Amino acid sequence: MTLPSLAIRSLANRRFAIGLTVLTIALSIALLVLVEQLRSEVREGFYRSVSGTDLIVGARTSPVQLLLYSVFGLGEATNNVSWESYQALSGTAEVAWAVPISLGDAHQGYRVVGTEAGFFDHYRYADRQPLEFAHGARFDDLFDVVLGHQVARKLDYALGDEIVLAHGTTRVSLQQHDNLPFTVSGILAPTGTPIDQQLYISLTAHEAIHIGWQNGMPRPGANLSDEQARAMAERLTPDSVTAILLGLTTRAAVFGLQRRVNDYRQEALSAVLPGIALQQLWRITGLAEQILRVVAALVVLSGLLGMLTVLLTTLNERRREMAILRANGARPLQIAGLLVFEAGLLAAAGIALGLVMAFAVQAIAAPWLLSTVGVNLAVSWPSALLWKLLGGIWLAGLIVGTVPALMAYRRTLADGMQVRM
Amino acid sequence: MLMTHRSWTLLTLTLLLALAASLSANETRVLEWIELMPQEEADSWLNDSANVDHSGFDAPQPFQSFTTVPELDGETVRIPGFVVPIETDGEGNLLEFFLVPYFGACIHVPPPPANQLIYGRLDEAIPMVNIWDAFWMEGQLNIENIENETAASAYTMDVASLELY
């Protein structure tokens, strides 16, 4: 019998303790892999979501907050941008396109974005990919609505379905705009970004459903009919929008324009470069990430120490085993090698099981993350860095294995066959 | 006699240093940001009392300049600066960015004019860099003509390397 098969049989003989050891290591590895994967996946998801937009303009606020509420549908806007500012901005020479967005309404917890048709022309995600329609087309009629892919899938909507929007962004809404239902005119193809979680209506429609809401609640008896709303919509211009996405004719003008927006005397505005705001966000979350990493590293360390404990405690019980091996001609070095091999095998099994566990958790958590944070978590192959880290942990496992190996090596020399049980 | 010996040593050293300097100059030219601004513009700007006016309520119109130095077109240069990420690939890796002379957190002076920015393009996306770190950027500097009313031309670079300062 060769040494490896001996080792495996010996391990199988102690399967309960060994199984627990492997499970301990696997849990620690799973935690480490999850922390690392989630971190990179969340970042990737955020970077995917905004591309080709040079500046985002909103009411004066922190860059991170503006980015989060305008693009990711996270948090609320503190204030709106006046329609006059929007028009002045879109008429600026450096601005190639300006897309306004109005927020504040929802449909069963999915955010409703009031925007213009230009949104579908100019919005880009991932590697500058334009939005595509899976079914139908952009809104044409006043009460048309375009659905993000997840919205249509989760709520099981098809083209032509009538839906009612609700006031406020909560999942359960008590105030419905039920006098003015919308018809689904188009469903977007999946993007893996917050776009999938939103509904799109025209700015005019966004204004129209809020006719009579000037005092913060619908005026009693002011429920407009479809025809009345249409008649009024002819003369309707929005007072304000929540944010404006800008594309520039010359990217080199971006800092100058940003400065002018931030200095705009007529209204307190903020302009942010999405790339910078994302980095600022990572700076905030970075500390928490580091803490998670340290915790994961400590857990891995305790997993390896657990393995060492098991190997050392079983070493005493295995003196007879070692003695028999010695009697059959095994050299002390071979005994030591056997123990290191065992440790390597345990560490490898733990790492493999840990990876499987991490992937399983990712696959299970992905839909939940998509619906709560709006970030699509693709179950991806671990990065090169992670593989190196896992390799390092395996090596650490081997090193841990040398401790009992060294002890066994010494003992077999010292007490050889004269073991008294 | 001792003096002459010493001066000889000095002379040799100076020569060696000059040689070393000329050798390294043969490698990549290290560019100063001010060199990106045409001389006449830099002159007129210096004469024009360079202080930022903080007294009035009206913000001074940010100094904008889209003129470039034609001699720099096609030169391979090395220049230090900060990265402002603009485009990423689908996976959050850096693809296109602005290299700027200072990090944009300073809001009491206007941003750098457009000819003090270089738009860097990477052939292959690299992992996202930290915007608070300074980098040496090396590559071929190009002048891109822009046909619109706000700008005439701007610097771009096919970035060969981007390394920590």
Side-chain angles (χ1 to χ4, degrees), chain B residues 108-123:
Chain B
H108 65 277
V109 295
N115 64 8
Q116 294 290 291
L117 313 169
I118 302 173
Y119 195 74
R121 291 192 182 93
L122 289 153
D123 272 346

mmCIF file with all atom_site columns, all heavy atoms in Angstrom, chain B residues 108-123:
data_model
loop_
_atom_site.group_PDB
_atom_site.id
_atom_site.type_symbol
_atom_site.label_atom_id
_atom_site.label_alt_id
_atom_site.label_comp_id
_atom_site.label_asym_id
_atom_site.label_entity_id
_atom_site.label_seq_id
_atom_site.pdbx_PDB_ins_code
_atom_site.Cartn_x
_atom_site.Cartn_y
_atom_site.Cartn_z
_atom_site.occupancy
_atom_site.B_iso_or_equiv
_atom_site.pdbx_formal_charge
_atom_site.auth_seq_id
_atom_site.auth_comp_id
_atom_site.auth_asym_id
_atom_site.auth_atom_id
_atom_site.pdbx_PDB_model_num
ATOM 1   N N   . HIS B 1 108 ? -11.827 76.206 -3.863  1.00 0.00 ? 108 HIS B N   1
ATOM 2   C CA  . HIS B 1 108 ? -11.754 77.658 -3.786  1.00 0.00 ? 108 HIS B CA  1
ATOM 3   C C   . HIS B 1 108 ? -11.069 78.281 -4.988  1.00 0.00 ? 108 HIS B C   1
ATOM 4   O O   . HIS B 1 108 ? -11.024 79.476 -5.130  1.00 0.00 ? 108 HIS B O   1
ATOM 5   C CB  . HIS B 1 108 ? -11.136 78.131 -2.476  1.00 0.00 ? 108 HIS B CB  1
ATOM 6   C CG  . HIS B 1 108 ? -9.711  77.731 -2.321  1.00 0.00 ? 108 HIS B CG  1
ATOM 7   N ND1 . HIS B 1 108 ? -9.344  76.495 -1.856  1.00 0.00 ? 108 HIS B ND1 1
ATOM 8   C CD2 . HIS B 1 108 ? -8.579  78.387 -2.578  1.00 0.00 ? 108 HIS B CD2 1
ATOM 9   C CE1 . HIS B 1 108 ? -8.038  76.424 -1.838  1.00 0.00 ? 108 HIS B CE1 1
ATOM 10  N NE2 . HIS B 1 108 ? -7.544  77.547 -2.277  1.00 0.00 ? 108 HIS B NE2 1
ATOM 11  N N   . VAL B 1 109 ? -10.508 77.470 -5.877  1.00 0.00 ? 109 VAL B N   1
ATOM 12  C CA  . VAL B 1 109 ? -10.045 77.998 -7.165  1.00 0.00 ? 109 VAL B CA  1
ATOM 13  C C   . VAL B 1 109 ? -10.736 77.211 -8.270  1.00 0.00 ? 109 VAL B C   1
ATOM 14  O O   . VAL B 1 109 ? -11.164 76.075 -8.060  1.00 0.00 ? 109 VAL B O   1
ATOM 15  C CB  . VAL B 1 109 ? -8.509  77.895 -7.335  1.00 0.00 ? 109 VAL B CB  1
ATOM 16  C CG1 . VAL B 1 109 ? -7.799  78.772 -6.342  1.00 0.00 ? 109 VAL B CG1 1
ATOM 17  C CG2 . VAL B 1 109 ? -8.058  76.466 -7.233  1.00 0.00 ? 109 VAL B CG2 1
ATOM 18  N N   . PRO B 1 110 ? -10.871 77.831 -9.446  1.00 0.00 ? 110 PRO B N   1
ATOM 19  C CA  . PRO B 1 110 ? -11.520 77.119 -10.551 1.00 0.00 ? 110 PRO B CA  1
ATOM 20  C C   . PRO B 1 110 ? -10.748 75.878 -10.959 1.00 0.00 ? 110 PRO B C   1
ATOM 21  O O   . PRO B 1 110 ? -9.577  75.726 -10.614 1.00 0.00 ? 110 PRO B O   1
ATOM 22  C CB  . PRO B 1 110 ? -11.513 78.156 -11.680 1.00 0.00 ? 110 PRO B CB  1
ATOM 23  C CG  . PRO B 1 110 ? -11.343 79.462 -11.009 1.00 0.00 ? 110 PRO B CG  1
ATOM 24  C CD  . PRO B 1 110 ? -10.529 79.207 -9.798  1.00 0.00 ? 110 PRO B CD  1
ATOM 25  N N   . PRO B 1 111 ? -11.404 74.991 -11.689 1.00 0.00 ? 111 PRO B N   1
ATOM 26  C CA  . PRO B 1 111 ? -10.726 73.768 -12.134 1.00 0.00 ? 111 PRO B CA  1
ATOM 27  C C   . PRO B 1 111 ? -9.661  74.092 -13.174 1.00 0.00 ? 111 PRO B C   1
ATOM 28  O O   . PRO B 1 111 ? -9.676  75.177 -13.748 1.00 0.00 ? 111 PRO B O   1
ATOM 29  C CB  . PRO B 1 111 ? -11.861 72.957 -12.755 1.00 0.00 ? 111 PRO B CB  1
ATOM 30  C CG  . PRO B 1 111 ? -12.845 73.970 -13.205 1.00 0.00 ? 111 PRO B CG  1
ATOM 31  C CD  . PRO B 1 111 ? -12.769 75.072 -12.191 1.00 0.00 ? 111 PRO B CD  1
ATOM 32  N N   . PRO B 1 112 ? -8.747  73.173 -13.426 1.00 0.00 ? 112 PRO B N   1
ATOM 33  C CA  . PRO B 1 112 ? -7.742  73.429 -14.455 1.00 0.00 ? 112 PRO B CA  1
ATOM 34  C C   . PRO B 1 112 ? -8.399  73.613 -15.819 1.00 0.00 ? 112 PRO B C   1
ATOM 35  O O   . PRO B 1 112 ? -9.400  72.952 -16.112 1.00 0.00 ? 112 PRO B O   1
ATOM 36  C CB  . PRO B 1 112 ? -6.876  72.167 -14.428 1.00 0.00 ? 112 PRO B CB  1
ATOM 37  C CG  . PRO B 1 112 ? -7.708  71.133 -13.760 1.00 0.00 ? 112 PRO B CG  1
ATOM 38  C CD  . PRO B 1 112 ? -8.592  71.863 -12.812 1.00 0.00 ? 112 PRO B CD  1
ATOM 39  N N   . PRO B 1 113 ? -7.865  74.526 -16.651 1.00 0.00 ? 113 PRO B N   1
ATOM 40  C CA  . PRO B 1 113 ? -8.419  74.695 -17.991 1.00 0.00 ? 113 PRO B CA  1
ATOM 41  C C   . PRO B 1 113 ? -8.226  73.439 -18.831 1.00 0.00 ? 113 PRO B C   1
ATOM 42  O O   . PRO B 1 113 ? -7.433  72.567 -18.492 1.00 0.00 ? 113 PRO B O   1
ATOM 43  C CB  . PRO B 1 113 ? -7.629  75.872 -18.567 1.00 0.00 ? 113 PRO B CB  1
ATOM 44  C CG  . PRO B 1 113 ? -6.406  75.965 -17.742 1.00 0.00 ? 113 PRO B CG  1
ATOM 45  C CD  . PRO B 1 113 ? -6.753  75.458 -16.387 1.00 0.00 ? 113 PRO B CD  1
ATOM 46  N N   . ALA B 1 114 ? -8.975  73.372 -19.921 1.00 0.00 ? 114 ALA B N   1
ATOM 47  C CA  . ALA B 1 114 ? -9.024  72.136 -20.703 1.00 0.00 ? 114 ALA B CA  1
ATOM 48  C C   . ALA B 1 114 ? -7.670  71.737 -21.278 1.00 0.00 ? 114 ALA B C   1
ATOM 49  O O   . ALA B 1 114 ? -7.432  70.557 -21.508 1.00 0.00 ? 114 ALA B O   1
ATOM 50  C CB  . ALA B 1 114 ? -10.053 72.272 -21.820 1.00 0.00 ? 114 ALA B CB  1
ATOM 51  N N   . ASN B 1 115 ? -6.781  72.710 -21.513 1.00 0.00 ? 115 ASN B N   1
ATOM 52  C CA  . ASN B 1 115 ? -5.481  72.274 -22.043 1.00 0.00 ? 115 ASN B CA  1
ATOM 53  C C   . ASN B 1 115 ? -4.522  71.869 -20.922 1.00 0.00 ? 115 ASN B C   1
ATOM 54  O O   . ASN B 1 115 ? -3.349  71.635 -21.155 1.00 0.00 ? 115 ASN B O   1
ATOM 55  C CB  . ASN B 1 115 ? -4.856  73.328 -22.971 1.00 0.00 ? 115 ASN B CB  1
ATOM 56  C CG  . ASN B 1 115 ? -4.516  74.618 -22.259 1.00 0.00 ? 115 ASN B CG  1
ATOM 57  O OD1 . ASN B 1 115 ? -4.606  74.705 -21.036 1.00 0.00 ? 115 ASN B OD1 1
ATOM 58  N ND2 . ASN B 1 115 ? -4.128  75.621 -23.028 1.00 0.00 ? 115 ASN B ND2 1
ATOM 59  N N   . GLN B 1 116 ? -5.041  71.779 -19.728 1.00 0.00 ? 116 GLN B N   1
ATOM 60  C CA  . GLN B 1 116 ? -4.259  71.225 -18.621 1.00 0.00 ? 116 GLN B CA  1
ATOM 61  C C   . GLN B 1 116 ? -4.801  69.850 -18.227 1.00 0.00 ? 116 GLN B C   1
ATOM 62  O O   . GLN B 1 116 ? -4.629  69.395 -17.098 1.00 0.00 ? 116 GLN B O   1
ATOM 63  C CB  . GLN B 1 116 ? -4.289  72.165 -17.418 1.00 0.00 ? 116 GLN B CB  1
ATOM 64  C CG  . GLN B 1 116 ? -3.588  73.478 -17.670 1.00 0.00 ? 116 GLN B CG  1
ATOM 65  C CD  . GLN B 1 116 ? -2.079  73.319 -17.789 1.00 0.00 ? 116 GLN B CD  1
ATOM 66  O OE1 . GLN B 1 116 ? -1.392  73.016 -16.835 1.00 0.00 ? 116 GLN B OE1 1
ATOM 67  N NE2 . GLN B 1 116 ? -1.556  73.494 -19.005 1.00 0.00 ? 116 GLN B NE2 1
ATOM 68  N N   . LEU B 1 117 ? -5.496  69.237 -19.164 1.00 0.00 ? 117 LEU B N   1
ATOM 69  C CA  . LEU B 1 117 ? -6.024  67.891 -18.939 1.00 0.00 ? 117 LEU B CA  1
ATOM 70  C C   . LEU B 1 117 ? -5.540  67.021 -20.089 1.00 0.00 ? 117 LEU B C   1
ATOM 71  O O   . LEU B 1 117 ? -5.393  67.486 -21.203 1.00 0.00 ? 117 LEU B O   1
ATOM 72  C CB  . LEU B 1 117 ? -7.555  67.872 -18.992 1.00 0.00 ? 117 LEU B CB  1
ATOM 73  C CG  . LEU B 1 117 ? -8.355  68.917 -18.237 1.00 0.00 ? 117 LEU B CG  1
ATOM 74  C CD1 . LEU B 1 117 ? -9.807  68.831 -18.678 1.00 0.00 ? 117 LEU B CD1 1
ATOM 75  C CD2 . LEU B 1 117 ? -8.236  68.671 -16.752 1.00 0.00 ? 117 LEU B CD2 1
ATOM 76  N N   . ILE B 1 118 ? -5.297  65.781 -19.796 1.00 0.00 ? 118 ILE B N   1
ATOM 77  C CA  . ILE B 1 118 ? -4.994  64.837 -20.883 1.00 0.00 ? 118 ILE B CA  1
ATOM 78  C C   . ILE B 1 118 ? -5.995  63.695 -20.778 1.00 0.00 ? 118 ILE B C   1
ATOM 79  O O   . ILE B 1 118 ? -6.179  63.118 -19.705 1.00 0.00 ? 118 ILE B O   1
ATOM 80  C CB  . ILE B 1 118 ? -3.559  64.284 -20.776 1.00 0.00 ? 118 ILE B CB  1
ATOM 81  C CG1 . ILE B 1 118 ? -2.560  65.442 -20.803 1.00 0.00 ? 118 ILE B CG1 1
ATOM 82  C CG2 . ILE B 1 118 ? -3.280  63.304 -21.907 1.00 0.00 ? 118 ILE B CG2 1
ATOM 83  C CD1 . ILE B 1 118 ? -1.135  65.004 -20.529 1.00 0.00 ? 118 ILE B CD1 1
ATOM 84  N N   . TYR B 1 119 ? -6.645  63.418 -21.902 1.00 0.00 ? 119 TYR B N   1
ATOM 85  C CA  . TYR B 1 119 ? -7.612  62.313 -21.911 1.00 0.00 ? 119 TYR B CA  1
ATOM 86  C C   . TYR B 1 119 ? -6.872  61.036 -22.257 1.00 0.00 ? 119 TYR B C   1
ATOM 87  O O   . TYR B 1 119 ? -6.398  60.852 -23.367 1.00 0.00 ? 119 TYR B O   1
ATOM 88  C CB  . TYR B 1 119 ? -8.709  62.605 -22.940 1.00 0.00 ? 119 TYR B CB  1
ATOM 89  C CG  . TYR B 1 119 ? -9.912  61.714 -22.771 1.00 0.00 ? 119 TYR B CG  1
ATOM 90  C CD1 . TYR B 1 119 ? -10.795 61.917 -21.723 1.00 0.00 ? 119 TYR B CD1 1
ATOM 91  C CD2 . TYR B 1 119 ? -10.152 60.663 -23.643 1.00 0.00 ? 119 TYR B CD2 1
ATOM 92  C CE1 . TYR B 1 119 ? -11.902 61.107 -21.549 1.00 0.00 ? 119 TYR B CE1 1
ATOM 93  C CE2 . TYR B 1 119 ? -11.251 59.846 -23.479 1.00 0.00 ? 119 TYR B CE2 1
ATOM 94  C CZ  . TYR B 1 119 ? -12.122 60.065 -22.429 1.00 0.00 ? 119 TYR B CZ  1
ATOM 95  O OH  . TYR B 1 119 ? -13.211 59.258 -22.250 1.00 0.00 ? 119 TYR B OH  1
ATOM 96  N N   . GLY B 1 120 ? -6.729  60.164 -21.276 1.00 0.00 ? 120 GLY B N   1
ATOM 97  C CA  . GLY B 1 120 ? -5.963  58.941 -21.476 1.00 0.00 ? 120 GLY B CA  1
ATOM 98  C C   . GLY B 1 120 ? -6.842  57.789 -21.924 1.00 0.00 ? 120 GLY B C   1
ATOM 99  O O   . GLY B 1 120 ? -7.936  57.609 -21.396 1.00 0.00 ? 120 GLY B O   1
ATOM 100 N N   . ARG B 1 121 ? -6.368  57.055 -22.909 1.00 0.00 ? 121 ARG B N   1
ATOM 101 C CA  . ARG B 1 121 ? -7.086  55.854 -23.354 1.00 0.00 ? 121 ARG B CA  1
ATOM 102 C C   . ARG B 1 121 ? -6.169  54.660 -23.178 1.00 0.00 ? 121 ARG B C   1
ATOM 103 O O   . ARG B 1 121 ? -5.026  54.671 -23.621 1.00 0.00 ? 121 ARG B O   1
ATOM 104 C CB  . ARG B 1 121 ? -7.477  55.972 -24.832 1.00 0.00 ? 121 ARG B CB  1
ATOM 105 C CG  . ARG B 1 121 ? -8.542  57.001 -25.095 1.00 0.00 ? 121 ARG B CG  1
ATOM 106 C CD  . ARG B 1 121 ? -9.085  56.842 -26.513 1.00 0.00 ? 121 ARG B CD  1
ATOM 107 N NE  . ARG B 1 121 ? -10.076 57.867 -26.782 1.00 0.00 ? 121 ARG B NE  1
ATOM 108 C CZ  . ARG B 1 121 ? -9.785  59.037 -27.363 1.00 0.00 ? 121 ARG B CZ  1
ATOM 109 N NH1 . ARG B 1 121 ? -8.549  59.282 -27.735 1.00 0.00 ? 121 ARG B NH1 1
ATOM 110 N NH2 . ARG B 1 121 ? -10.738 59.926 -27.569 1.00 0.00 ? 121 ARG B NH2 1
ATOM 111 N N   . LEU B 1 122 ? -6.689  53.634 -22.530 1.00 0.00 ? 122 LEU B N   1
ATOM 112 C CA  . LEU B 1 122 ? -5.912  52.414 -22.347 1.00 0.00 ? 122 LEU B CA  1
ATOM 113 C C   . LEU B 1 122 ? -6.358  51.385 -23.374 1.00 0.00 ? 122 LEU B C   1
ATOM 114 O O   . LEU B 1 122 ? -7.551  51.254 -23.644 1.00 0.00 ? 122 LEU B O   1
ATOM 115 C CB  . LEU B 1 122 ? -6.145  51.869 -20.939 1.00 0.00 ? 122 LEU B CB  1
ATOM 116 C CG  . LEU B 1 122 ? -5.525  52.668 -19.795 1.00 0.00 ? 122 LEU B CG  1
ATOM 117 C CD1 . LEU B 1 122 ? -6.313  52.472 -18.523 1.00 0.00 ? 122 LEU B CD1 1
ATOM 118 C CD2 . LEU B 1 122 ? -4.088  52.251 -19.590 1.00 0.00 ? 122 LEU B CD2 1
ATOM 119 N N   . ASP B 1 123 ? -5.381  50.699 -23.963 1.00 0.00 ? 123 ASP B N   1
ATOM 120 C CA  . ASP B 1 123 ? -5.727  49.647 -24.926 1.00 0.00 ? 123 ASP B CA  1
ATOM 121 C C   . ASP B 1 123 ? -6.490  48.536 -24.229 1.00 0.00 ? 123 ASP B C   1
ATOM 122 O O   . ASP B 1 123 ? -7.477  48.027 -24.723 1.00 0.00 ? 123 ASP B O   1
ATOM 123 C CB  . ASP B 1 123 ? -4.459  49.063 -25.551 1.00 0.00 ? 123 ASP B CB  1
ATOM 124 C CG  . ASP B 1 123 ? -4.059  49.864 -26.765 1.00 0.00 ? 123 ASP B CG  1
ATOM 125 O OD1 . ASP B 1 123 ? -4.907  50.659 -27.227 1.00 0.00 ? 123 ASP B OD1 1
ATOM 126 O OD2 . ASP B 1 123 ? -2.915  49.706 -27.237 1.00 0.00 ? 123 ASP B OD2 1
#
